[in-house]
Amino acid sequence: MAARKIKFDWVAATANDLKGGEAVFRRADGSWTRTVAEAELVPGGEAGAALLARAQADHAANRVVEPVLIAVDPATRRPLSLRERIRADGPTV
Amino acid sequence: MYRYDQFDRSFVAARVAEFRDQVARRLSGELTEDQFKPLRLMNGVYLQLHAYMLRIAIPYGVLSSRQLRKLAHIGRVYDRSSGHFTTRQNLQFNWVRLADIPDILAELAEVEMHAIQTSGNCIRNVTADHFAGAAADETVDPRPYAELLRQWSSLHPEFTFLPRKFKLAVTGAAVDRAAIQVHDIGLEVKRNERGEIGFAVYVGGGQGRTPMIAKKLRDFLPERDLLAYCEAILRVYNLEGRRDNKYKARIKILVHEKGLEEIAASVEAEFAAQPVATAALGEAEIARIAAYFAPPRFAALPARSAVLEDAQTEDAALCRFVSRNVSAHKAPGYGVVTVSLKPIGGIPGDATSDQMDALADIAERWSFDELRVSHAQNIVLPHVRLDDLPQVHAALAAAGLATPNDGLVTDIIACPGLDYCALANARSIPVAQEISQRFADLDRQNAIGELKLKISGCINACGHHHVGHIGILGVDRQGEEFYQITLGGAEGADCAIGELVGPGFAADKITDAVETLVETYLKLRRDPGERFLDAYRRVGLGPFQEALYADA
Amino acid sequence: MPTLETELYRGGRFVADDAVYVADGDALPANALAIVSKKRYLAERIALDARAGRLGLVLETADTLDGLEGALDRFATVVLRFARYADGRPYSLAHRLRHRLGYRGELRAAGDVLQDQIVFMLRGGFDALEIAHAGTRAALRANRIVVVPTRGSAPAAQILDAAE
């Protein structure tokens, strides 16, 4: 599956904001933004694991909820999956 | 309708205080997400794709005007000026902030509402026939029993941490509008030949990834034994239901794996051992609750309304509305009005705050201050004078609420799907919208006749696709949305689980596929009185498969 | 297993507890409340019933009450252990112990006993709580437990003072 391969090329960390619940993405400076294009992109693998660990520390610190890594196209800075595009952009309806 | 007593008020107030404390502990970090999640779920708070979602209980779907106005107000202040009515007669707000939820719950408490047990592995909001107390075909009003079950199950100390969620539904008419056979416990209130009240008790029905039609445990459980018997079922389930796999944890799996005989034996033994103190419902208690549901003071009216009939001759839209959306009432001169929340191209079940206010006004003026939410995601005005229907229709039309499509192909049930829901695999709403637009023509819809189309965005089946005459299930096929079609499902007394018709369809082909099914039906039906479901039951999948996959 | 951090809450306050959980095969202490498993009790029932010291029984979350009919008067306490608070089987075991087997002695909740569930436990027939969770003990000491009333149960103000 082509999507699977790309998925591990570039990743960003996403979660929901604790207070408001909105989808947020982790910037390189450690802050969280609602704009996916501002998210820190790292290659998957070790750098991805390190990014996820930083995001999980924010979960442990009760800033965000349930962080995960998502695959992002580095050219457009858009999430690859429909689900994550909907999370980033809002409902399609 | 039921009014809170002193107990209910203190209960809900304490519950708001408790959740306010829990939210504060969560926001301060004292509670972790793992610890907090089950607590928020007990209060109907989910974390969805874009925000927290709050699911508010509407016990057995009954609302007063005052309550609906409060929901409209909460929508305006804390959400995006709208709310979403669900297939379990509840209301969901999709855009609330966690920090605001204690305030929302406090506002709800002012109008005797809450969000307790709308989620979690507990006994969920009890549902009932949305025409209860109004329908001409009703034997016994199910609402007093639904209320007794609500009180019994609220924060039940024994049944708050079950293997999985548990849903009860009650109907009091032979035409089952509450879909009792796809519930964990389904109850039909009825009378025996001596005129005594009792219940047919069904157990182990459900939808989700393993749809099952419930099995009958008792044909006539005496009225007084309602709670003791339900408690016996719940205790057997709590102890014996599977906890090793959440997908096999519903009581339907226990009933399926052990067999009806063994389950019945366990339940009867548990029932026989019930302590005397809790064994029987007293007549006084039943009467006390039933008094809340005494019928309103209907005027003595002729069965036919000259006012309405005159108005209909001059107003084609009214005529369509009355023939489609008004059902027979038990009191002469009255009708039951179904207000469709399925405008062409709209989001099924959504109502704006302005529409909620309009409905509250209409109900206050013309329906004894009462409304219902139906599991088909529509609103019901239960007691409208036929003489008033022209005015009611005009008021509904002014609010964009007069779509005359009750039970037609555009009266689509759809879950929120991937646009909102964290569990979904595919979108439901855009599919519903496109099908609705394709069949927008009212003459065509009426020519097709009754056709229940139901769409779920994942196997959890919140859109009830298993019991749709046409059911659509969204799946994720290697990153693409795909839609599988089932045919022949039904939710009523003739309950059936739909059969898979064949391979699924891409998002841009699913509306064509539905149209092919409908055209196939129109060609093969014997006469216009043979509904889609009847025709399907006569001919089976074959002709529909041929039409759908002819070119494949 | 109880640890040094575990405390027993009963009758509205924390009380001294000399319970000792005895592993199957270990000797029973002479001067303490000796708590044994169901397996051990059923295997050594005659000897244990004849023994002079106080005896308690611990039931794990997945245990049944089969075989315990008529035996319960022997126990100074019956402990129901919550493996996870979200696994509610002990509540139904408690109901059966109280109402089907007629057990009137101390019914103790142990294991995952937390602030937000203890009211359910006290309402469900438990009258003693073995609490390891520090936050829960602090909340009880500070009187910070919110008690939501339920119909037909003891008044909210009394629930935390539940005694047999």
Side-chain angles (χ1 to χ4, degrees):
Chain A
M1 290 186 291
R4 179 72 58 183
K5 184 175 178 300
I6 299 167
K7 184 173 175 178
F8 291 101
D9 280 358
W10 291 92
V11 295
T14 185
N16 289 78
D17 181 71
L18 171 63
K19 284 195 181 72
E22 58 267 27
V24 289
F25 305 88
R26 198 175 193 278
R27 289 194 185 95
D29 66 3
S31 62
W32 290 79
T33 171
R34 297 185 62 172
T35 308
V36 65
E38 297 171 9
E40 176 182 13
L41 283 192
V42 300
E46 281 180 27
L51 173 60
L52 182 60
R54 292 195 292 278
Q56 282 168 340
D58 292 339
H59 172 93
N62 299 305
R63 297 173 62 194
V64 297
V65 181
E66 292 175 358
V68 291
L69 295 181
I70 56 167
V72 175
D73 181 338
T76 62
R77 302 188 77 85
R78 303 268 300 135
L80 292 178
S81 79
L82 174 63
R83 181 182 197 273
E84 292 306 327
R85 287 199 298 275
I86 290 173
R87 276 187 80 246
D89 300 345
T92 63
V93 293
Chain B
M1 63 188 284
Y2 183 72
R3 295 302 309 266
Y4 276 14
D5 58 17
Q6 186 55 41
F7 165 79
D8 292 298
R9 279 189 287 275
S10 59
F11 164 75
V12 172
R15 185 68 177 201
V16 173
E18 180 187 54
F19 193 59
R20 195 180 289 283
D21 169 62
Q22 290 166 346
V23 169
R25 282 190 280 144
R26 175 69 187 112
L27 293 176
S28 75
E30 190 183 329
L31 285 176
T32 66
E33 183 62 16
D34 282 350
Q35 291 166 335
F36 179 64
K37 188 173 177 179
L39 303 175
R40 69 167 157 80
L41 288 176
M42 290 294 295
N43 286 284
V45 182
Y46 286 74
L47 184 51
Q48 295 286 38
L49 294 183
H50 312 291
Y52 289 96
M53 181 269 277
L54 177 65
R55 183 182 292 153
I56 293 161
I58 300 175
Y60 33 93
V62 177
L63 275 174
S64 69
S65 303
R66 181 166 162 257
Q67 290 174 322
L68 188 55
R69 283 197 190 97
K70 177 61 86 175
L71 295 174
H73 165 79
I74 290 170
R76 273 192 199 94
V77 175
Y78 303 99
D79 199 281
R80 299 184 175 182
S81 291
S82 75
H84 177 76
F85 291 96
T86 78
T87 51
R88 297 213 70 255
Q89 301 179 303
N90 291 322
L91 179 89
Q92 293 178 182
F93 285 117
N94 282 322
W95 298 98
V96 296
R97 297 173 55 77
L98 180 61
D100 287 339
I101 291 175
D103 290 338
I104 298 174
L105 296 180
E107 296 231 25
L108 288 171
E110 289 174 18
V111 295
E112 308 185 354
M113 297 187 81
H114 60 68
I116 298 165
Q117 287 173 227
T118 57
S119 178
N121 294 334
C122 54
I123 301 172
R124 301 287 188 90
N125 184 31
V126 178
T127 56
D129 183 355
H130 46 267
F131 287 178
D137 63 3
E138 183 171 275
T139 311
V140 184
D141 186 344
R143 290 172 300 168
Y145 305 99
E147 174 58 25
L148 283 161
L149 289 163
R150 184 194 73 80
Q151 294 188 8
W152 162 76
S153 63
S154 292
L155 298 196
H156 197 295
E158 190 180 344
F159 304 132
T160 299
F161 301 100
L162 297 167
R164 199 76 178 85
K165 58 189 168 185
F166 203 94
K167 300 175 181 175
L168 292 98
V170 196
T171 185
V175 174
D176 172 17
R177 283 172 290 260
I180 64 169
Q181 291 186 59
V182 284
H183 282 78
D184 296 286
I185 293 178
L187 298 160
E188 181 195 346
V189 202
K190 55 187 190 178
R191 287 185 189 276
N192 65 11
E193 61 282 0
R194 290 197 295 276
E196 296 159 338
I197 289 175
F199 303 88
V201 182
Y202 294 83
V203 70
Q207 300 196 51
R209 71 184 58 213
T210 317
M212 301 257 184
I213 295 173
K215 298 177 177 66
K216 196 190 271 187
L217 268 185
R218 283 280 192 109
D219 187 58
F220 194 83
L221 178 78
E223 182 186 39
R224 64 173 183 276
D225 294 330
L226 174 66
L227 300 185
Y229 198 80
C230 286
E231 187 171 312
I233 294 172
L234 262 299
R235 185 164 305 119
V236 168
Y237 169 59
N238 191 33
L239 287 169
E240 297 182 22
R242 287 181 61 172
R243 291 177 188 263
D244 59 325
N245 178 342
K246 86 179 260 200
Y247 301 118
K248 294 180 188 284
R250 296 287 289 271
I251 195 173
K252 64 190 174 187
I253 302 293
L254 182 69
V255 173
H256 179 71
E257 289 183 350
K258 298 229 168 187
L260 180 62
E261 271 185 32
E262 188 178 335
I263 289 297
S266 299
V267 169
E268 294 298 337
E270 191 65 46
F271 176 59
Q274 284 280 51
V276 176
T278 60
L281 264 171
E283 279 178 33
E285 175 65 359
I286 295 171
R288 188 180 74 80
I289 297 297
Y292 287 110
F293 301 96
R297 290 172 181 276
F298 296 120
L301 297 172
R304 289 175 61 176
S305 160
V307 175
L308 176 61
E309 287 171 18
D310 285 353
Q312 279 184 277
T313 59
E314 291 164 19
D315 185 343
L318 174 65
C319 208
R320 276 191 204 276
F321 183 82
V322 170
S323 66
R324 200 64 237 172
N325 289 39
V326 179
S327 305
H329 197 284
K330 59 170 64 171
Y334 287 82
V336 184
V337 175
T338 298
V339 179
S340 168
L341 297 182
K342 320 290 176 60
I344 297 304
I347 295 176
D350 268 21
T352 65
S353 287
D354 288 348
Q355 287 178 322
M356 290 187 228
D357 277 340
L359 282 167
D361 291 347
I362 292 167
E364 189 170 60
R365 184 159 173 202
W366 289 300
S367 185
F368 292 95
D369 203 28
E370 198 177 315
L371 306 105
R372 310 283 174 77
V373 183
S374 80
H375 76 81
Q377 302 179 284
N378 291 320
I379 300 291
V380 173
L381 299 165
H383 314 296
V384 179
R385 274 191 200 211
L386 298 180
D387 289 351
D388 292 336
L389 276 175
Q391 288 170 277
V392 169
H393 178 255
L396 289 171
L401 291 167
T403 313
N405 63 349
D406 180 25
L408 297 177
V409 63
T410 60
D411 184 8
I412 298 169
I413 289 182
C415 71
L418 190 57
D419 283 301
Y420 291 94
C421 178
L423 300 174
N425 293 320
R427 286 174 290 169
S428 304
I429 297 168
V431 175
Q433 290 173 316
E434 192 179 304
I435 294 171
S436 171
Q437 277 154 351
R438 181 74 63 91
F439 289 96
D441 182 82
L442 276 170
D443 291 331
R444 187 181 181 200
Q445 287 186 56
N446 278 297
I448 296 164
E450 182 185 296
L451 205 174
K452 296 191 175 174
L453 201 155
K454 307 185 190 229
I455 307 172
S456 303
C458 80
I459 193 64
N460 290 308
C462 296
H464 293 182
H465 67 277
H466 291 303
V467 292
H469 300 173
I470 297 176
I472 297 177
L473 167 65
V475 297
D476 175 351
R477 207 173 76 175
Q478 296 176 15
E480 299 283 324
E481 293 167 297
F482 250 73
Y483 296 90
Q484 297 177 345
I485 296 178
T486 52
L487 295 180
E491 68 211 351
D494 59 347
C495 188
I497 304 298
E499 288 183 79
L500 187 64
V501 71
F505 295 86
D508 61 351
K509 295 284 188 291
I510 184 67
T511 303
D512 290 341
V514 169
E515 192 163 31
T516 299
L517 291 168
V518 170
E519 292 302 321
T520 304
Y521 151 71
L522 289 173
K523 276 184 217 135
L524 62 76
R525 73 180 177 187
R526 282 180 168 154
D527 57 68
E530 187 180 52
R531 299 172 307 159
F532 182 93
L533 181 64
D534 306 326
Y536 168 80
R537 286 179 171 173
R538 178 170 57 82
V539 304
L541 281 175
F544 296 99
Q545 287 171 324
E546 279 165 35
L548 279 178
Y549 303 108
D551 304 328
Chain C
M1 284 283 122
T3 64
L4 286 178
E5 290 78 40
T6 299
E7 289 185 274
L8 187 68
Y9 185 82
R10 186 187 161 93
R13 60 186 187 282
F14 287 97
V15 296
D17 179 30
D18 67 343
V20 177
Y21 287 84
V22 187
D24 294 354
D26 285 4
L28 271 59
N31 298 314
L33 172 55
I35 299 179
V36 298
S37 72
K38 176 184 168 186
K39 183 181 166 198
R40 179 170 191 176
Y41 176 73
L42 292 181
E44 302 173 21
R45 180 168 180 173
I46 293 168
L48 289 170
D49 281 351
R51 186 174 166 274
R54 287 175 301 137
L55 190 67
L57 177 74
V58 58
L59 295 172
E60 302 302 325
T61 300
D63 277 342
T64 70
L65 305 182
D66 298 347
L68 294 171
E69 298 83 356
L72 294 162
D73 289 346
R74 175 66 183 88
F75 302 116
T77 188
V78 173
V79 184
L80 298 183
R81 200 190 310 276
F82 285 79
R84 296 177 304 118
Y85 80 77
D87 186 336
R89 281 178 286 184
Y91 294 104
S92 283
L93 290 177
H95 188 280
R96 280 191 174 166
L97 276 167
R98 288 284 190 227
H99 297 285
R100 207 158 157 175
L101 275 64
Y103 175 65
R104 290 199 178 75
E106 178 183 278
L107 193 52
R108 187 185 289 202
D112 207 11
V113 178
L114 299 173
Q115 174 171 353
D116 295 291
Q117 287 79 44
I118 60 179
V119 173
F120 290 116
M121 293 172 183
L122 294 171
R123 287 209 171 102
F126 292 92
D127 51 15
L129 309 172
E130 207 175 273
I131 306 172
H133 186 251
T136 301
R137 284 182 282 152
L140 276 165
R141 287 207 158 85
N143 200 22
R144 274 196 289 111
I145 304 285
V146 178
V147 179
V148 176
T150 63
R151 205 175 286 274
S153 77
Q158 289 172 24
I159 194 79
L160 292 174
D161 300 333
E164 57 182 308

